[in-house]
Each structure stands twice: as structure tokens, then as C-alpha cells.
């Protein structure tokens, strides 16, 4: 049976008396490491024994190769052993046999070549290098080995020939740089220029041109450097496209000119680069230009840098979204700050060419301001009046007036003509606007112009047309009445007010009534005003009307108060006026109570209480205060599961009336119980 006991437990858990650290273990391992046993050197007694040994080793190597001829290590070991035996012919034979198996193996070629070089077989090494680069022309390591050997042998013309053969295969940039360094080492700068010319044709990247420019700055002249930069920009733009032009070319070119103290040339290069490169690929160029202007420019130059940066930003934004009119506003304002009229006109013309895609007014609201700003700039800054007039006309012809119009454009054109002293053209403009697309704003502006010119007959005609166009506009009636009142034609003023309040639809009828009442009150026609209040109450029984009516009654002066006013004393409120005002409040409360309008009753009582505090006695104030209700919070059902809390008003008069009614009902009940069934029961019992 298997034991059911678990793993053995450690009974003594105390630390060992001698502690051994990991560092001690490693140190002892190193100290006790046995000395490496070298293989003993084999000694041969005579040549025959040596030949026997060599034959045995060769058979072993041949067996290895026969078993696995694809394993390079077998060939390397075999060839290395033959080299150690000074059997160079046999070693070459092994390498050649290996090349038959692995003709494209770079490592094999390198080992073969290094073996020949090590044993000073230079011609063999050259032949091998020539064979290697012919066999593998795309392997840079073989070419580097070839040119290195040729240069170490002092054969510089041969080295050039090798480089020329190599360059025909258009290798990477490091190979070209190595060729150029060779010519620089031996002072052949003209040859280096020719190499750079071919180099930039094969690798036309900006960095190759920059290397050439740096070479010319070190070994050539300033004109040569300029020719390199100009050729670089032109060649890259023509062959690779404008997108391939790098800001580094412009920065290096401008820095070179700065070092030559040709500041105007450098500034022109910066500006050319910023004008031809998009903002996303010229951030560093702009930063360098800013630094340049701060060092060598003036205030105008620094401002020009800022304008250039913002101009390029706006160009990119309008390119992304040509219908972004806010960007066009900023762009045009920027050019106006620059002060170049041609640039300003160009921006405005490009902006107004972006006509909204649909005939919806919301798409045209911002677009219209482009024309307005353009025309104002032509008039105020450019002083070109005819161009400004043409801009206004173009805008008005472009707007689809049958669907919508913009009164601000018509009004701006009219004011423009007035500023030019052409009043007839202004009237024709506004008349055309009213005829094509009448709007309240157009009527108001036309009337305001004629009123300033004191052409009141024209104003009356325009008011009549405006009232016919929009009879619901209260402000039209009020302004018309004010005009007639200003001309002291009170009968016409009253007639206008009567027509106004008789309109079936008004946008703010209370405003017209208030203006009519104020007119009669200011003219001293208090009976007419009182009659208007009574007419208004028949249409609008509202607390505000009652309160205004009461205030009107207080402000009506009596004969005594008028005499006091004539003597220069402060006019007190007469008792008759107070009585009339209280009568108005009483009527109002009665009306609201009959219709059970509690909130309106509260508003009236508060106004009446304020009136009594100002004009009444203490007992009058107390009498109104006793009528003030108390607030009671109640709940009412909205739906089956929802209740809401609201404030209700309990008036003392209503509460007393309810209490009296409850007492009366209680007495009736007691009397019924006492008599045993009411009047009919009494009659039956008596019979």
C-alpha cells in the first residue's frame, strides 16, 4: 500500500552556523577552475610521416565535403588547413571548387581574396576582385574591398577606373561619397565636381545638392555655390515636382548669402521659398526668416515676415474650404493692413467669386458682407468711386430677390449715393428695393432719409405704402402718428391711431393703445383718454390695464392743483383723483373676483396697497392689508401616479363668505332635524 503521508517536513528551521553567499560561490568557482589543457603539438620524425599525415587529413576533409558539400564551413576549414601547410595551389583549388558550388556567396569571395592578400599574392587578389565584382556587381562590400586594395597599392588611376565601373551601376549614396572623398584626398577638385554632377543626377534628393554646395563653399567660389543652389531648385522642381522641393535648400542658400553679407539676396531667397512652398512644409523656413529679419532687417521687414506667415496660413485655409467666408474676411483685412491695393483687390475678387451653392438665405448672410467691405474699402481707402458703385450693382444683380433679399445692401447703396451727392440715385435705389422686395427696414430707412430732408409729403406717402404693406406693424402706425403730431396736425394723428387700433391683427396692440392714450394725456384731453381706457378694458380686461388706468386717474390735475402749479408749488394729489383711482381698483377687483382670477387679484391688491402707502392714510393701508390673501400650498393630480405642489391664495372675504355659508347650512340642517323633514313634512303633520 502507498503511504498516505505527505512530503517530509523540515523540523529544524534555524539558520545554519556557516552562511555561504552567492559571491563566495562564484569566487571559489573561479579559483578552483582547472587550467585549460592545450592540445599537444604534433611532431613528425621525417617527411614520409608528414606526407602520411597530410594524406590522412585530406581524406577526412574530402569525406566531409562529400557528405555535405553545401556547408561552407567544411570548405573554409579545408582551405585554411591547406594554407597552413603552405599548399597555396591546393588552397586555390579548394576555393575554386567551393565557388563552383556557391558562386554568389559574398563571404566565400571575401575569404578567398583575403587569403591571397595575406599571402601577398596581389595579382591573384586583383583577378579575384575583378571576377567578384563582375559576378556580383550589386554587392557593395566587394567594390569597397576592390578600391581599398587598389588605393593601398598606390594605383590611383586604377582606383578611379574601379570607381567608374562601380558608378555605372548607380550604387547608393555612400559609394558616391567614397569616390568624392578619394578625389578630395588627392586634391582633384574638378574631378570631384564632375562626380557631384553625376551623383545629383542619380540621387537628386536635396541632401545630395546640399553636400555639393558645401563642397563648393569649401573648395570653390561664391558663384559656384549659387549655381549649385539654383540648379538644385530648378532641377528638383522640373524632374520631381514642386512637392519635392525641400525647405532645407532655401534655408542653406539664404544662410550662405547671409555669410557673404548679401542680405538682400538672402531676403529674396526667403520670400521666394515662402511664396512657393506650402505652409506645412515651410515652418522651419519661416522661423529662420523671422530670425534673419530680427538680426538684419528693420521694423518693416519684421512686419512683412508676420504678414507673409499669416498670408500663407489664409491661403491654405481658403484652399481647403473656399466657401469659408470668415477666412476671406481675415485675409482681406490682412492685405488692407499691408497697404498694397492690387493684393487687396485680388483677395476680394477671389472671395466674391465664391458664390454660395444654394439659394438659401442662411448661406448668403456672410457672403454679402464681402461685397459691402469691398465697396467701403474702394470708397474710403482706394478712392475709386466708380469701382465701388460697380461693386454695389454687381451685388444687387447677384442676389435672387424673388426668393430673398438683403435690406442692408440696398440701404448701403443708397447711403453711398447720398455721400456722393446723388440724391436722385439714392431715391431710385430705395424705390426699386420697395418695388421689388419690400421690407419694414427699407421703409424705415427711406422715411428716415426723407424726414431728414424735411420732405414730409414724401414721408406721408411712404407711411401709407408701409401701412398697406404691413398693417400689423405697430411701430409704423406710432411713428406715422408722431410725425403728424410733430406737424401739429392732431386730427390726422387721431385718425391714424383710430385706424391702427381698428386693425384686426397687430403684433403688439398694447403698444399702440399706450401711445394713443399717452398722446391724449399729453394733449390734455383727459376725457378722451378715459374713454380710450374704457374701450381698451372692453377688449383686454387685464390687471396691467387697470393699474395703468388708476395711475392715469391719479395724475389728472384738478382746478386747484393747476392753480398751485401756476404759482410754482409742488402739485399734490387731490382727493377727487384718489377717489377716482380707488374706484378703478374696486372695479378691477370686482371683475377679477367674478372671473375667479386669484393671481390677478393679488397683483391688483399689491398695486393698490402701494398706492395707499403713497397717497392714503394709515387706516386705508390697513384696510387693503386686511384684504391681502394668505398663501396655502396644495397638491393636485397631474396623472394617475403624479402629483404636483402649487400655491393657492385664500382671500379673507372669500373665507368669511364660505364660513357664513357653512353656518347657514348647519342651521338649516338643525332646523330640519328639529321639524322632522322640512316644509313638506310640516305640512303633512299639520293636516
Amino acid at each position: 500500500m502507498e503511504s498516505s503521508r505527505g512530503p517530509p517536513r523540515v523540523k529544524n528551521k534555524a539558520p545554519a552556523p556557516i552562511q555561504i553567499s552567492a559571491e563566495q560561490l562564484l569566487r571559489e568557482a573561479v579559483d578552483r577552475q582547472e587550467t585549460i589543457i592545450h592540445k599537444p603539438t604534433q611532431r613528425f620524425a621525417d617527411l614520409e610521416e608528414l606526407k602520411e599525415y597530410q594524406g590522412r587529413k585530406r581524406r577526412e576533409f574530402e569525406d566531409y565535403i562529400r557528405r555535405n558539400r553545401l556547408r561552407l564551413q567544411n570548405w573554409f576549414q579545408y582551405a585554411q588547413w591547406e594554407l597552413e601547410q603552405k599548399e597555396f595551389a591546393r588552397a586555390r583549388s579548394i576555393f575554386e571548387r567551393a565557388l563552383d558550388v556557391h558562386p554568389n556567396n559574398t563571404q566565400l569571395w571575401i575569404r578567398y581574396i583575403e587569403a591571397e592578400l595575406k599571402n601577398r599574392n596581389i595579382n591573384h587578389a586583383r583577378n579575384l576582385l575583378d571576377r567578384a565584382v563582375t559576378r556580383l556587381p550589386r554587392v557593395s562590400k566587394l567594390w569597397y574591398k576592390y578600391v581599398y586594395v587598389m588605393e593601398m597599392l598606390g594605383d590611383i588611376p586604377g582606383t578611379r577606373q574601379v570607381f567608374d565601373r562601380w558608378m555605372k551601376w548607380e550604387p547608393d549614396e555612400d559609394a558616391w561619397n567614397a569616390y568624392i572623398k578619394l578625389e578630395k584626398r588627392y586634391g582633384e577638385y574638378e574631378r570631384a565636381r564632375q562626380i557631384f554632377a553625376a551623383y545629383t543626377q542619380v540621387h537628386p534628393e536635396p541632401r545630395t545638392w546640399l553636400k555639393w554646395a558645401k563642397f563648393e563653399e569649401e573648395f570653390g567660389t561664391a558663384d559656384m555655390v549659387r549655381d549649385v543652389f539654383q540648379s538644385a531648385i530648378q532641377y528638383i522642381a522640373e524632374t520631381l515636382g514642386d512637392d519635392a522641393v525641400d525647405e532645407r535648400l532655401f534655408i542653406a542658400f539664404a544662410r550662405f548669402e547671409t555669410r557673404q553679407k548679401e542680405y538682400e539676396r538672402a531676403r529674396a531667397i526667403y520670400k521666394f521659398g515662402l511664396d512657393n512652398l506650402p505652409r506645412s512644409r515651410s515652418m522651419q523656413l519661416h522661423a529662420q526668416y523671422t530670425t534673419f529679419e530680427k538680426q538684419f532687417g528693420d521694423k518693416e521687414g519684421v512686419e512683412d515676415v508676420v504678414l507673409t506667415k499669416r498670408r500663407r496660413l489664409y491661403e491654405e485655409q481658403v484652399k481647403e474650404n473656399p466657401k469659408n467666408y470668415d477666412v476671406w474676411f481675415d485675409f482681406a483685412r490682412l492685405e488692407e493692413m499691408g497697404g498694397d491695393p492690387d493684393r487687396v483687390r485680388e483677395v476680394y475678387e477671389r472671395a466674391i467669386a465664391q458664390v454660395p451653392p444654394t439659394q438659401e438665405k442662411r448661406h448668403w448672410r456672410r457672403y454679402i458682407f464681402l461685397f459691402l467691405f469691398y465697396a467701403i474699402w474702394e470708397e474710403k481707402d482706394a478712392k475709386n468711386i466708380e469701382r465701388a458703385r460697380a461693386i454695389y450693382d454687381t451685388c444687387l444683380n447677384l442676389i435672387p430677390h424673388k426668393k430673398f433679399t438683403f435690406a442692408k445692401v440696398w440701404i448701403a447703396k443708397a447711403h453711398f449715393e447720398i455721400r456722393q451727392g446723388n440724391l436722385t440715385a439714392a431715391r431710385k435705389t430705395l424705390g426699386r428695393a420697395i418695388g421689388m422686395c419690400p421690407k419694414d427696414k427699407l421703409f424705415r430707412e427711406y422715411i428716415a432719409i426723407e424726414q431728414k430732408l424735411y420732405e414730409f409729403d414724401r414721408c406721408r406717402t411712404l407711411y401709407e405704402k408701409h401701412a398697406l404693406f404691413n398693417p400689423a406693424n405697430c411701430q409704423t402706425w406710432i411713428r406715422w402718428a408722431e410725425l403728424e403730431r410733430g406737424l401739429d396736425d392732431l386730427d390726422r394723428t387721431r385718425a391714424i391711431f383710430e385706424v391702427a387700433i381698428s386693425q384686426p391683427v397687430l403684433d403688439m396692440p398694447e403698444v399702440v393703445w399706450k401711445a394713443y392714450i399717452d398722446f391724449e394725456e399729453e394733449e390734455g384731453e383727459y376725457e378722451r383718454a378715459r374713454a380710450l381706457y374704457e374701450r381698451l378694458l372692453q377688449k383686454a380686461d387685464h390687471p396691467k390695464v387697470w393699474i395703468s388706468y388708476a395711475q392715469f386717474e391719479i395724475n389728472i390735475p384738478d382746478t386747484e392743483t393747476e392753480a398751485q402749479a401756476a404759482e410754482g408749488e409742488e402739485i399734490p394729489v387731490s382727493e377727487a383723483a384718489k377717489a377716482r383711482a380707488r374706484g378703478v381698483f374696486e372695479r378691477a377687483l370686482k371683475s377679477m373676483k367674478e372671473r375667479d382670477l386669484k393671481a390677478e387679484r393679488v397683483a391688483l391688491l399689491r398695486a393698490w396697497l402701494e398706492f395707499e402707502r403713497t397717497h392714503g392714510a394709515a387706516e386705508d393701508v390697513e384696510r387693503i392689508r386686511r384684504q391681502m390673501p394668505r398663501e396655502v400650498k396644495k397638491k393636485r393630480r397631474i396623472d394617475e401616479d403624479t402629483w404636483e405642489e402649487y400655491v393657492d391664495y385664500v382671500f379673507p372675504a372669500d373665507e368669511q363668505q364660505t364660513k357664513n355659508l357653512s353656518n347657514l347650512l348647519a342651521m338649516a340642517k338643525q332646523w330640519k332635524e328639529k321639524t322632522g323633514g322640512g316644509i313638506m313634512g310640516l305640512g303633512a303633520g299639520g293636516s
Side-chain angles (χ1 to χ4, degrees):
M1 293 180 62
E2 295 183 358
S3 175
S4 60
R5 291 182 300 175
R9 297 182 180 180
V10 179
K11 297 181 179 180
N12 186 5
K13 296 183 179 181
I18 300 176
Q19 296 292 321
I20 302 175
S21 63
E23 181 182 1
Q24 183 179 355
L25 290 174
L26 292 174
R27 189 181 298 111
E28 291 180 358
V30 173
D31 294 340
R32 297 179 182 181
Q33 188 173 10
E34 296 182 358
T35 306
I36 299 174
I37 301 175
H38 296 281
K39 187 177 180 181
T41 304
Q42 188 172 2
R43 298 180 180 275
F44 302 101
D46 51 13
L47 183 60
E48 185 176 345
E49 187 176 354
L50 174 61
K51 294 296 183 181
E52 182 184 358
Y53 165 74
Q54 291 176 344
R56 186 173 63 255
K57 291 293 289 185
R58 289 190 181 103
R59 283 193 298 272
E60 291 178 1
F61 283 122
E62 290 293 343
D63 291 340
Y64 293 153
I65 292 172
R66 194 179 302 110
R67 284 196 295 267
N68 190 358
R69 62 197 305 265
L70 298 178
R71 186 170 181 267
L72 275 175
Q73 194 63 27
N74 294 335
W75 296 100
F76 290 156
Q77 291 175 356
Y78 193 5
Q80 182 62 33
W81 183 83
E82 292 291 354
L83 290 172
E84 292 175 357
Q85 303 301 317
K86 306 299 181 180
E87 295 288 345
F88 302 120
R90 288 181 177 275
R92 290 192 191 100
S93 175
I94 294 168
F95 276 120
E96 293 295 338
R97 289 167 60 193
L99 287 174
D100 291 338
V101 180
H102 302 283
N104 298 327
N105 190 282
T106 305
Q107 186 182 4
L108 179 57
W109 285 101
I110 294 297
R111 293 286 289 269
Y112 193 3
I113 294 166
E114 287 180 349
E116 296 291 356
L117 290 174
K118 186 175 181 180
N119 293 284
R120 300 182 181 275
N121 296 321
I122 304 302
N123 290 331
H124 282 288
R126 283 182 177 179
N127 295 334
L128 282 174
L129 286 167
D130 189 81
R131 288 171 57 194
V133 298
T134 304
R135 177 75 185 184
L136 302 172
R138 293 295 183 184
V139 180
S140 299
K141 190 173 183 180
L142 296 173
W143 288 103
Y144 281 121
K145 193 73 174 178
Y146 199 176
V147 296
Y148 172 76
V149 170
M150 297 298 292
E151 187 176 3
M152 289 299 101
L153 294 174
D155 188 0
I156 305 305
T159 308
R160 290 195 184 98
Q161 291 179 2
V162 175
F163 267 118
D164 290 337
R165 288 175 58 190
W166 190 6
M167 297 304 109
K168 290 180 181 179
W169 292 97
E170 298 183 358
D172 57 9
E173 297 181 13
D174 293 335
W176 292 92
N177 294 332
Y179 195 5
I180 293 169
K181 288 179 181 179
L182 171 73
E183 300 296 354
K184 287 170 64 176
R185 282 197 297 272
Y186 296 98
E188 297 291 342
Y189 303 122
E190 191 60 36
R191 288 181 178 273
R193 290 189 182 92
Q194 296 174 4
I195 298 169
F196 266 119
Y199 182 14
T200 53
Q201 298 294 320
V202 177
H203 298 283
E205 290 82 9
R207 58 179 174 272
T208 60
W209 292 95
L210 291 175
K211 291 177 183 178
W212 191 3
K214 185 177 180 181
F215 169 81
E216 294 295 354
E217 187 175 359
E218 185 177 357
F219 302 104
T221 62
D223 292 335
M224 291 181 177
V225 179
R226 294 189 183 102
D227 290 341
V228 171
F229 278 117
Q230 292 171 3
S231 300
I233 296 171
Q234 183 178 0
Y235 181 81
I236 293 176
E238 291 177 355
T239 57
L240 302 180
D242 294 335
D243 294 338
V245 180
D246 199 319
E247 62 178 344
R248 291 177 295 173
L249 287 172
F250 295 101
I251 294 173
F253 196 3
R255 284 179 175 176
F256 166 74
E257 296 294 354
T258 304
R259 289 194 294 271
Q260 300 296 320
K261 300 187 183 304
E262 295 286 348
Y263 303 123
E264 291 302 323
R265 284 177 178 267
R267 185 176 289 107
I269 293 167
Y270 278 123
K271 290 183 178 180
F272 180 80
L274 291 173
D275 292 339
N276 289 274
L277 290 179
R279 181 174 179 272
S280 60
R281 295 193 292 111
S282 60
M283 301 296 290
Q284 188 65 25
L285 178 62
H286 188 275
Q288 294 294 328
Y289 185 26
T290 305
T291 304
F292 169 80
E293 288 293 349
K294 290 179 180 179
Q295 290 178 345
F296 306 104
D298 51 8
K299 181 179 179 181
E300 294 180 356
V302 177
E303 291 178 353
D304 186 56
V305 173
V306 177
L307 291 176
T308 303
K309 180 179 180 181
R310 294 181 62 190
R311 184 181 294 121
R312 296 178 65 252
L313 173 63
Y314 293 144
E315 286 287 357
E316 290 188 1
Q317 289 180 348
V318 298
K319 186 177 180 181
E320 293 176 1
N321 184 9
K323 297 296 188 291
N324 190 344
Y325 302 118
D326 292 331
V327 177
W328 286 111
F329 294 145
D330 297 336
F331 197 177
R333 196 173 296 112
L334 174 70
E335 296 298 349
E336 291 177 11
M337 292 171 56
D340 188 350
D342 294 334
R343 281 184 175 273
V344 178
R345 288 193 181 98
E346 179 189 0
V347 172
Y348 272 121
E349 290 295 335
R350 290 168 57 194
I352 63 177
Q354 305 300 326
V355 182
T358 61
Q359 290 188 353
E360 296 184 20
K361 190 170 184 178
R362 60 189 180 90
H363 293 152
W364 288 66
R365 294 186 188 278
R366 303 292 291 165
Y367 173 69
I368 290 302
F369 282 98
L370 290 170
F371 284 94
L372 297 178
F373 293 161
Y374 188 12
I376 292 172
W377 178 82
E378 289 287 358
E379 179 187 0
K380 300 294 184 182
D381 297 340
K383 308 296 182 184
N384 195 332
I385 305 303
E386 291 303 322
R387 183 182 285 272
R389 184 177 286 110
I391 293 169
Y392 281 119
D393 293 338
T394 303
C395 181
L396 291 174
N397 294 331
L398 191 63
I399 298 173
H401 299 289
K402 292 183 178 180
K403 293 187 176 182
F404 58 84
T405 190
F406 290 94
K408 58 176 70 68
V409 181
W410 295 102
I411 294 170
K413 174 72 182 332
H415 283 293
F416 165 77
E417 297 293 354
I418 292 173
R419 288 194 296 271
Q420 309 311 316
N422 196 348
L423 183 59
T424 303
R427 283 175 174 154
K428 287 182 179 180
T429 300
L430 291 175
R432 178 188 168 198
I434 291 173
M436 291 178 61
C437 42
K439 293 183 72 174
D440 293 333
K441 189 176 181 180
L442 290 171
F443 281 106
R444 289 198 301 269
E445 194 64 30
Y446 198 178
I447 292 169
I449 292 173
E450 297 295 352
Q451 196 166 349
K452 291 178 182 178
L453 297 172
Y454 298 101
E455 295 287 346
F456 300 115
D457 290 336
R458 289 179 179 271
C459 292
R460 287 192 179 103
T461 304
L462 290 171
Y463 271 123
E464 290 176 3
K465 292 182 179 180
H466 193 184
L468 290 174
F469 165 68
N470 187 7
N473 192 335
C474 295
Q475 294 299 326
T476 302
W477 297 104
I478 294 172
R479 292 194 185 97
W480 191 4
E482 289 176 352
L483 173 67
E484 298 297 348
R485 184 185 179 189
L487 298 175
D488 290 333
D489 195 342
L490 302 183
D491 293 336
R492 188 186 290 269
T493 304
R494 289 192 181 93
I496 292 170
F497 274 124
E498 288 294 336
V499 174
I501 62 178
S502 64
Q503 295 299 318
V505 178
L506 287 172
D507 52 5
M508 291 185 295
E510 67 279 3
V511 177
V512 180
W513 282 95
K514 183 69 168 57
Y516 194 5
I517 293 170
D518 290 343
F519 161 71
E520 296 292 0
E521 186 177 356
E522 291 170 3
E523 293 295 331
E525 298 290 342
Y526 302 117
E527 291 300 326
R528 288 178 179 271
R530 189 177 288 112
L532 287 174
Y533 269 118
E534 294 295 338
R535 291 169 60 187
L536 178 58
L537 287 172
Q538 293 177 3
K539 291 187 174 183
D541 191 0
H542 195 272
K544 290 185 178 180
V545 180
W546 288 104
I547 295 171
S548 178
Y549 192 5
Q551 294 293 334
F552 163 76
E553 294 292 355
I554 295 172
N555 295 328
I556 295 178
D558 294 336
T559 305
E560 298 178 359
T561 58
E562 288 181 352
Q564 292 177 359
E567 296 176 0
E569 298 180 1
E570 184 179 355
I571 303 176
V573 179
S574 64
E575 293 299 327
K578 295 178 183 179
R580 291 195 299 269
R582 291 190 180 99
V584 171
F585 278 121
E586 289 174 356
R587 289 173 55 194
L589 285 174
K590 182 179 179 182
S591 174
M592 300 303 163
K593 183 178 180 181
E594 290 174 353
R595 291 183 293 166
D596 195 21
L597 300 177
K598 296 184 178 181
E600 287 76 0
R601 286 175 68 185
V602 173
L604 284 169
L605 284 171
R606 288 173 179 171
W608 195 357
L609 180 62
E610 190 65 27
F611 164 77
E612 295 295 351
R613 286 173 178 171
T614 306
H615 304 288
E619 55 272 16
D620 296 325
V621 174
E622 185 62 26
R623 178 170 59 87
I624 302 303
R625 184 179 286 112
R626 285 197 299 268
Q627 298 184 37
M628 294 296 292
R630 57 187 178 87
E631 296 181 358
V632 178
K633 290 185 178 181
K634 295 183 178 180
K635 289 185 179 181
R636 56 189 170 194
R637 184 189 297 273
I638 298 178
D639 51 31
E640 294 181 358
D641 300 329
T642 307
W643 292 74
E644 73 170 357
E645 191 178 71
Y646 70 99
V647 177
D648 194 13
Y649 297 98
V650 178
F651 293 88
D654 297 347
E655 193 174 12
Q656 183 64 34
Q657 184 177 1
T658 303
K659 185 177 180 180
N660 293 337
L661 181 60
S662 299
N663 293 336
L664 181 61
L665 291 175
M667 292 172 63
K669 183 178 180 181
Q670 292 176 1
W671 179 77
K672 179 180 178 181
E673 293 175 351
K674 184 177 180 180
T675 56
I679 296 175
M680 296 299 295
L682 180 61
S687 61

